[in-house]
């Protein structure tokens, strides 16, 4: 057997010898870095939009035997906090730094032009995959990715902040970009290439299953090819974010289990949490949020509808847990489970109150005035199925966050406290135990580095790195009573503020309820609440209530003011300022970042284009002209489409008949159809929309359809979409990828003729009066959320 050649780590000095010829020289091969001997695989499993009180292991009613299995052989953390929103939490999870420190104060669509808020992960604060690449790991990112600025998600790039870009550093990516995702017809990427799914719901396709299939393929193949080389995997489900898509039989497993309603559910869940040791016996149930309906005062129709919405959510979660079980089985079968440091994050924030007081069949409807209870009772059997984009009412969000106050987007525990499970048989001796030490999402990266036995690199991609900001949790693996290493943590989300310090907590509620769009008062009018978490672990007793905040002789007042001063110090340290409580206008104000052209031309193959990069056809007059060829046997299908079954528009041929469909959220369809089919040959089909309504957003107008210069159809479109067409659909030429805008054709339908080009001419100044636009959108949002 030949001698093994000398090797050295790539980037180090060449250790061989170079002479005149190969005979008097000594070779050495540069090799990638290798991990420390015995270094574990690392896996994040991130479940979206689920609160503290939903799953059985933490006192809820939703059966999760596979999470329970991991907890029985690992540890359950009961005092773990997130940031109150998805993108910021994920930024902290992958970087070990606070969300404002990496520019991710909110979701990327709400970025503003300040360092803590710009939505752009900085090069000097790279993610865990980039860190571990230098330590010999290969990394895989699967599922939801909502940390790339939306204006950087098109084919034109840049790609630096994609999952497999230089900042985050994953080697492979399979998943979707954005917040929401249709679970039946997702818009997926393999690395940077858009790909179609291989099935549909009738064939048994569901996104959660697909994501786990791909994860299993990658980690088992990796083990076959390089069994001594560890991997890092980020698996982020689209579940449990809306839409709550699941087959009816999964929801039916919970038939009748939520008929008691959210008020009783909260009481029963807290009792179970105490019995399990999740919370101490003296924990009090916080009051239900003012404005949420009492269950016993609802109509029978409302009770039936809202209970079904909870059943769908529960079935959705149990189905997600089943996929986690398949992954655990695959790791165990391949001999990898024991030495995989596995984290299960049961929520990246608290349960979502974004469904309003009555829930939603179509989440897009909140932008245009919403739905009625009668409408949704009439389509109760279609909830969760293809064609829906459903969300439960805010009452269930409060119940799912038992025993805490508020929900996602808020800095009380209802928005930030989530169950977390750690499983690592090779590294953790304790089994089936709880840990009550306080920790935050910034602590995961330091824990991973600690478990591997390495430091964070000083340089990544030639850029000197800033320190991580979290604290390792590894000390707690074998010590249930050790004091926490994370003593102080600030919170801020869309104007709501808070701080935990040494067993105490302060928080502000900034006066915007989940079904409202604007804060009720300014920051100077915020009331700082104070809680002694030892005596009051649920934040049920505000010690500052009815106290004179100016009485410095009162030790409680002094304690609160000291905590507030500490919050401001942390805010300055971590780029939290300037405070910003805007909502719609925060998103609308970013439109100048998008490259917008009055005239654009698209060609065949232009598909899966994000809406921001599509021609801007909202709230203005516009026109498009398509040059097409109809074959001898006729043609059908979309020529150009934007959106999907929740809302959008499509220009298409229906058995060669030119047709324009406008899908207003509801759905409320307007069809503008020619009378005659196009003969075989070359044609120019043109659509024009003339905005005639006075409203700054959502105005109606007249649509006209031409073949050549001849008007072949026209019609009134009484109202149009306001701040967007879609949560997750795209703009396509020659296809309608994903769900169909029009019921005249099905999902992922192509055009069966040929297209030369499609030209757009859009009028500028989509929002000439931003303040008026925001006020109008606010009114639509409030109308939708408050509708009874």
């Amino acid at each position: 057997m030949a001698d093994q050649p000398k090797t050295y780590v790539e980037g180090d000095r060449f250790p061989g010898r170079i002479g005149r010829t190969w005979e008097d020289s000594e070779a050495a091969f540069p090799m990638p870095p290798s991990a420390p001997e015995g270094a574990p695989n690392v896996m994040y499993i991130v479940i979206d939009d689920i609160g503290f009180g939903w799953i059985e292991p933490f006192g809820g009613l939703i059966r999760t035997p596979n999470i329970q299995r991991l907890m029985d052989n690992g540890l359950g953390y009961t005092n773990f906090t997130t940031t109150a929103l998805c993108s910021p939490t994920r930024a902290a999870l992958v970087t070990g730094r606070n969300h404002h420190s990496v520019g991710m104060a909110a979701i990327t669509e709400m970025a503003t032009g300040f360092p803590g808020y710009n939505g752009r992960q900085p090069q000097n604060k790279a993610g865990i995959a980039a860190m571990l690449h230098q330590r010999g790991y290969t990394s895989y990112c699967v599922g939801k990715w909502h940390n790339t600025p939306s204006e950087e998600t098109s084919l034109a790039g840049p790609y630096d902040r994609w999952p497999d870009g230089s900042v985050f550093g994953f080697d492979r990516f399979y998943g979707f970009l954005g917040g929401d995702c249709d679970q039946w017809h997702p818009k997926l990427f393999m690395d940077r290439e858009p790909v179609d799914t291989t099935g549909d719901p009738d064939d048994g396709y569901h996104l959660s299953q697909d994501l786990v299939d791909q994860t299993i393929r990658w980690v088992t193949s990796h083990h076959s090819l390089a069994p001594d080389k560890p991997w890092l995997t980020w698996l982020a489900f689209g579940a449990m974010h809306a839409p709550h898509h699941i087959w009816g039989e999964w929801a039916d497993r919970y038939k009748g289990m939520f008929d008691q309603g959210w008020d009783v559910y909260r009481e029963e869940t807290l009792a179970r949490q105490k019995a399990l040791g999740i919370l101490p016996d003296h924990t009090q149930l916080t009051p239900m949020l003012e404005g949420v309906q009492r269950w016993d005062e609802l109509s029978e129709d409302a009770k039936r509808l809202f209970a079904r919405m909870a059943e769908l959510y529960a079935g959705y979660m149990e189905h997600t847990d089943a996929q986690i079980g398949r992954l655990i089985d695959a790791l165990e079968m391949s001999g990898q489970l024991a030495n995989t440091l596995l984290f299960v994050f049961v929520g990246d924030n608290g349960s979502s109150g974004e469904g309003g007081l009555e829930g939603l069949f179509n989440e897009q409807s909140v932008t245009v005035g919403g739905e009625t209870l009668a409408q949704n009772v009439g389509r109760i059997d279609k909830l969760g199925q293809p064609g829906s984009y459903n969300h439960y009412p805010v009452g269930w969000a409060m119940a799912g966050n038992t025993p805490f106050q508020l929900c996602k987007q808020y800095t009380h525990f209802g928005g930030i406290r989530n169950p977390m499970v750690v499983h690592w048989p090779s590294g953790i001796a304790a089994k089936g135990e709880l840990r009550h030490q306080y920790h935050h999402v910034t602590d995961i990266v330091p824990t991973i580095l600690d478990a591997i036995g390495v430091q964070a690199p000083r340089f990544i991609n030639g850029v000197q790195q800033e320190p991580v900001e979290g604290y390792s949790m590894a000390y707690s693996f074998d010590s249930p009573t050790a004091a926490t290493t994370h003593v102080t943590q600030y919170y801020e989300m869309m104007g709501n503020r808070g701080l935990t310090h040494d067993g105490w907590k302060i928080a502000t509620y900034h006066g915007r309820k989940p079904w409202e769009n604007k804060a009720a008062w300014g920051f100077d009018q915020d009331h700082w609440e104070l809680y002694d978490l030892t005596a009051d672990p649920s934040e049920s007793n505000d010690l500052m209530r009815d106290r004179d905040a100016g009485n410095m002789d009162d030790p409680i007042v002094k304690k609160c003011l000291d905590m507030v001063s500490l919050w401001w110090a942390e805010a300055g340290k971590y780029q939290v300022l300037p405070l910003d409580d805007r909502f719609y206008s925060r998103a609308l104000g970013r439109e100048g970042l998008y490259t917008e052209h009055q005239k654009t031309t698209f060609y065949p193959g232009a598909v899966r284009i994000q809406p921001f990069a599509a021609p801007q056809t909202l709230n203005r007059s516009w026109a498009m002209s398509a040059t097409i060829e109809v074959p001898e046997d006729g043609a059908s299908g979309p020529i150009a489409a934007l959106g999907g079954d929740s809302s959008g528009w499509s220009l298409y041929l229906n058995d060669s008949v030119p047709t324009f469909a406008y899908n207003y959220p509801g759905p409320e369809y307007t069809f503008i159809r020619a009378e005659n089919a196009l003969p075989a040959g070359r044609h120019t089909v043109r659509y024009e929309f003339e905005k005639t309504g006075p409203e700054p957003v959502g105005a109606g107008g007249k649509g006209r359809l031409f073949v050549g210069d001849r008007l072949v159809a026209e019609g009134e479109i009484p109202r149009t979409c306001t701040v967007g067409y879609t949560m997750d659909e795209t703009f396509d030429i020659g296809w309608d990828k994903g769900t169909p805008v029009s019921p005249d054709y099905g999902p992922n339908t192509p055009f069966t003729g040929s297209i030369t080009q499609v030209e757009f001419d859009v009028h500028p100044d989509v929002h000439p009066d931003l303040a008026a636009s925001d006020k109008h959108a606010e009114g639509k949002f409030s109308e939708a959320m408050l509708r009874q």
Side-chain angles (χ1 to χ4, degrees), residues 289-372:
L289 179 63
E290 183 182 357
V292 176
Q293 316 95 306
R294 285 184 54 84
W295 187 267
D296 59 11
E297 295 176 356
L298 293 170
S299 69
E300 290 305 309
D301 274 350
K303 289 178 181 178
R304 183 166 65 93
L305 175 65
F306 299 166
R308 184 56 176 173
M309 289 174 167
E311 291 166 7
L312 285 157
Y313 186 80
Y316 190 27
M317 181 61 228
E318 186 173 344
H319 176 263
T320 304
D321 179 79
Q323 310 320 307
I324 294 172
R326 292 198 301 117
L327 176 57
I328 298 168
D329 290 344
L331 291 173
E332 189 168 42
M333 176 273 298
S334 60
Q336 299 184 84
L337 183 60
N339 199 30
T340 295
L341 173 57
L342 191 154
F343 300 90
V344 182
F345 303 97
V346 185
D348 52 358
N349 42 246
S351 296
S352 169
E354 293 156 356
L357 289 170
E358 294 192 338
L360 296 164
F361 181 87
N362 177 2
E363 194 177 17
Q364 189 70 25
S365 71
V366 301
T367 65
V368 296
E371 305 157 344
T372 66

Side-chain angles (χ1 to χ4, degrees), residues 129-130 133 137-141 168-173 230-233:
H133 182 79
Y137 278 69
T138 298
S139 55
Y140 306 103
C141 180
F168 293 106
F170 286 96
D171 293 304
R172 300 297 307 274
F173 170 55
W231 45 256
L232 163 73
T233 297

Side-chain angles (χ1 to χ4, degrees), residues 208-447:
S208 296
Q209 295 170 190
D210 188 3
L211 298 179
V212 169
D213 286 345
Q214 185 59 56
T215 303
I216 291 172
R217 280 193 291 270
W218 273 343
V219 299
T220 54
S221 296
H222 177 110
H223 186 64
S224 298
L225 295 166
D228 297 324
K229 182 178 184 180
W231 45 256
L232 163 73
T233 297
W234 168 275
L235 169 60
F237 288 98
M240 298 293 294
H241 200 291
H244 302 157
H245 281 163
I246 194 61
W247 291 284
E249 53 264 32
W250 284 87
D252 291 344
R253 300 180 182 198
Y254 291 88
K255 202 73 176 173
M257 290 181 64
F258 297 97
D259 288 356
Q260 80 275 37
W262 44 64
D263 299 308
V264 173
Y265 181 92
R266 296 180 79 227
E267 295 169 358
E268 294 177 346
T269 297
L270 177 55
R272 289 189 293 266
Q273 289 169 335
K274 292 178 180 179
L276 290 168
I278 302 296
L279 293 168
D281 288 340
H282 63 274
T283 305
Q284 299 295 308
L285 187 64
T286 58
M288 177 61 89
L289 179 63
E290 183 182 357
V292 176
Q293 316 95 306
R294 285 184 54 84
W295 187 267
D296 59 11
E297 295 176 356
L298 293 170
S299 69
E300 290 305 309
D301 274 350
K303 289 178 181 178
R304 183 166 65 93
L305 175 65
F306 299 166
R308 184 56 176 173
M309 289 174 167
E311 291 166 7
L312 285 157
Y313 186 80
Y316 190 27
M317 181 61 228
E318 186 173 344
H319 176 263
T320 304
D321 179 79
Q323 310 320 307
I324 294 172
R326 292 198 301 117
L327 176 57
I328 298 168
D329 290 344
L331 291 173
E332 189 168 42
M333 176 273 298
S334 60
Q336 299 184 84
L337 183 60
N339 199 30
T340 295
L341 173 57
L342 191 154
F343 300 90
V344 182
F345 303 97
V346 185
D348 52 358
N349 42 246
S351 296
S352 169
E354 293 156 356
L357 289 170
E358 294 192 338
L360 296 164
F361 181 87
N362 177 2
E363 194 177 17
Q364 189 70 25
S365 71
V366 301
T367 65
V368 296
E371 305 157 344
T372 66
L373 180 69
Q375 269 183 304
N376 289 341
V377 168
R379 49 191 179 185
I380 189 170
D381 293 335
K382 297 180 180 179
L383 284 167
Q385 307 312 301
S388 69
Y389 217 91
N390 52 309
H391 200 306
Y392 57 38
V394 68
W396 284 123
M398 300 299 138
N401 295 328
T402 299
F404 306 123
Q405 300 183 55
L406 291 163
C407 56
K408 176 183 177 181
Q409 300 184 16
Y410 296 89
T411 53
H412 287 73
F413 278 153
I416 63 174
R417 195 152 157 188
N418 289 89
M420 197 265 286
V421 174
V422 180
H423 183 273
W424 183 25
S426 293
I428 301 175
K431 310 293 180 198
E433 296 180 6
L434 296 175
R435 294 291 183 266
H436 303 294
Q437 291 100 332
Y438 173 80
H439 278 285
H440 188 60
V441 281
T442 53
D443 299 338
I444 299 305
V445 165
T447 303

